[in-house]
Amino acid sequence: MGEEEDIYTKDGTLDYKGNPADKTKTGTWKACPFILGNECCERLAYYGMSTNLVRYFKHQLDQSSSTASKNVLDWSGTCYITPYWTIAIFSIIYVIGMTFLTVTASVSGLKPVCHGPRGEETCQVTDAQSATFFVALYLIALGTGGIKPCVSSYGADQFDDADEAEKKHKSSFFNWFYFSINIGALIASSVLVWVQDNEGWGWGFGIPAVAMAIAVVSFFSGTRLFRNQKPGGSPLTRICQVVVASIRKHKVELPADESLLYETADAESNITGSRKLDHTKDFSFFDKAAVEIQSDNIKESVNPWRLCTVTQVEELKAIVRLLPIWATGIIFSAVYSQMSSLFVLQGERMDTHVGNSSFKIPPASLSIFDTLSVIFWVPIYDRFIVPVTRKFTGHKNGLTQLQRMGIGLFISILSMIAAAVLELIRLRMVREHKYYDLPEMPMSIMWQVPQYFLIGCAEVFTFIGQLEFFYEQAPDAMRSLCSALSLTTVALGNYLSSLLVTIVTSISTKNGNLGWIPDNLNRGHLHYFFWLLTVLSVLNMGAFLLVSKWYTYKRPVGSLR
């Protein structure tokens, strides 16, 4: 006998090689623990290295506050901008990068030479050492950027949209997927930050490297249980075909009867693994790609660069509709990025002691309250808010994805207000008591807890809602692409924050002024930056409400309108 072929279900889902497509043996929650385990360990590795990174830049690489903050934001953005084998290959690259990073922080000659007690040491770093460190750092960015867009959609693919019993669990998957992320982040922001500050960066980076190796093992362990979507070809090629065909037929009149637009006669779409989509009336220019003219020769093989199906046209329309919603996620991500940059630097200037003891809380560890907030709110949302709101709205998920995201945007505004007010009060105490040159002023770092907790609550609404929204509203064969698109908001949010820091520093330091974000924040105006983000967030929420009202949800053929 020849080589056994992959077995696909009716919707294009691959069960596993050489066996009948038995849905009871693959997918659903049986496969998800391996994906969730991979994500938990990967996020432990990521946050274990990134949470305290701004302090490594500032104290080990001897960078200024604004430069350290900008470098963290630029790197975090790169992590988010760049299906099975994709996750596997980039996970291995990730492990290599984490291992290399550990070497740069622990091997003599590659790590900076530091003198003085831990936490107060002064370090000398060469250009070669900095360059080596950045090579390792961006290798990790390549690894995490390669797998991040695929993991959530790959996990959701384990649930069949055509099976109502399975489909109902998909929304819960996104909640528990984000929950697993924050279990990893919890360990990173508590244990690993303490290790980095007290035991050294070699151990602090080495443990995340081991965690990432465990993530790879977890993923490969579940291989036989995974369902893999049959590849549907390049989505970017199909988008280009619609644009080209539309331009070629820009002078062609659209028929009054939409049923005259070209579509395959089969019950299934001609795009592998994708259901047919109903025609919609907006963006009608692109409909010209589906208008049949004599030169199309449809009796012979159809040239997709000249004639496209309605489903292919609707794929492009779906992407175009997502873009305004996508754009409103950038400001939210800029707010979120403050936890790994300016919140940490703000905390450095506050009293980090626990009571009267000698134990000090690492400033980056305050992000544990963001994590605890997420861990608290995910079960509350999934088990309480959804059932209660479902009774009032009649929607299967309680709130629509857009309503959920809007609530998160509002809460993020409150987090920026909390950060700005705290800094305003802190600076008032500095001026009144002349604390300008104190390394830590007598104001407990625990006053930062509200701003972290609010961001965690906002994440549960906006980030999880965004994950589910971009997956559900994406055409079937474009889900990984749209998941990647949603993550670029995180990238652009970090880049935007970095750009704002650069602009603000450039303008506010003119004429010899120290600026908003000097090395000694006691002499700065960090609250101005937080107020700036508050204003941008309010404007952004207004834009979100407008585009949400305009948005048209995707309709597969045969679905209820």
Side-chain angles (χ1 to χ4, degrees), residues 141-205:
L142 178 64
T144 191
I147 68 174
K148 193 63 183 168
C150 302
V151 179
S152 61
S153 58
Y154 189 69
D157 283 346
Q158 305 308 308
F159 300 91
D160 185 0
D161 276 338
D163 186 319
E164 286 301 321
E166 290 191 18
K167 186 177 180 180
K168 145 174 115 167
H169 292 294
K170 187 173 288 188
S171 181
S172 283
F173 167 78
F174 286 106
N175 288 328
W176 294 108
F177 174 80
Y178 209 77
F179 184 87
S180 68
I181 288 175
N182 282 274
I183 291 297
L186 175 64
I187 299 170
S189 59
S190 53
V191 177
L192 290 181
V193 169
W194 184 89
V195 169
Q196 289 163 355
D197 281 0
N198 293 276
E199 298 299 326
W201 293 93
W203 281 104
F205 289 152

Side-chain angles (χ1 to χ4, degrees), residues 225-268:
L225 295 174
F226 296 150
R227 295 174 182 171
N228 297 307
Q229 292 293 327
K230 190 173 182 180
S234 168
L236 294 177
T237 300
R238 294 198 300 276
I239 288 172
C240 291
Q241 287 170 341
V242 174
V243 172
V244 170
S246 301
I247 293 172
R248 279 179 166 171
K249 296 178 179 177
H250 67 279
K251 294 183 179 179
V252 174
E253 292 292 326
L254 288 170
D257 184 358
E258 66 183 45
S259 66
L260 296 177
L261 296 173
Y262 176 67
E263 183 58 278
T264 57
D266 300 333
E268 298 293 321

Side-chain angles (χ1 to χ4, degrees), residues 14 22 58 95 148 179 205 231 280 285 328 330 375 446 472 481 558:
L14 171 65
D22 185 351
K58 185 174 180 180
V95 172
K148 193 63 183 168
F179 184 87
F205 289 152
T280 56
F285 173 80
T328 60
I330 297 173
I375 291 172
M446 299 306 288
E472 289 291 336
L481 174 69

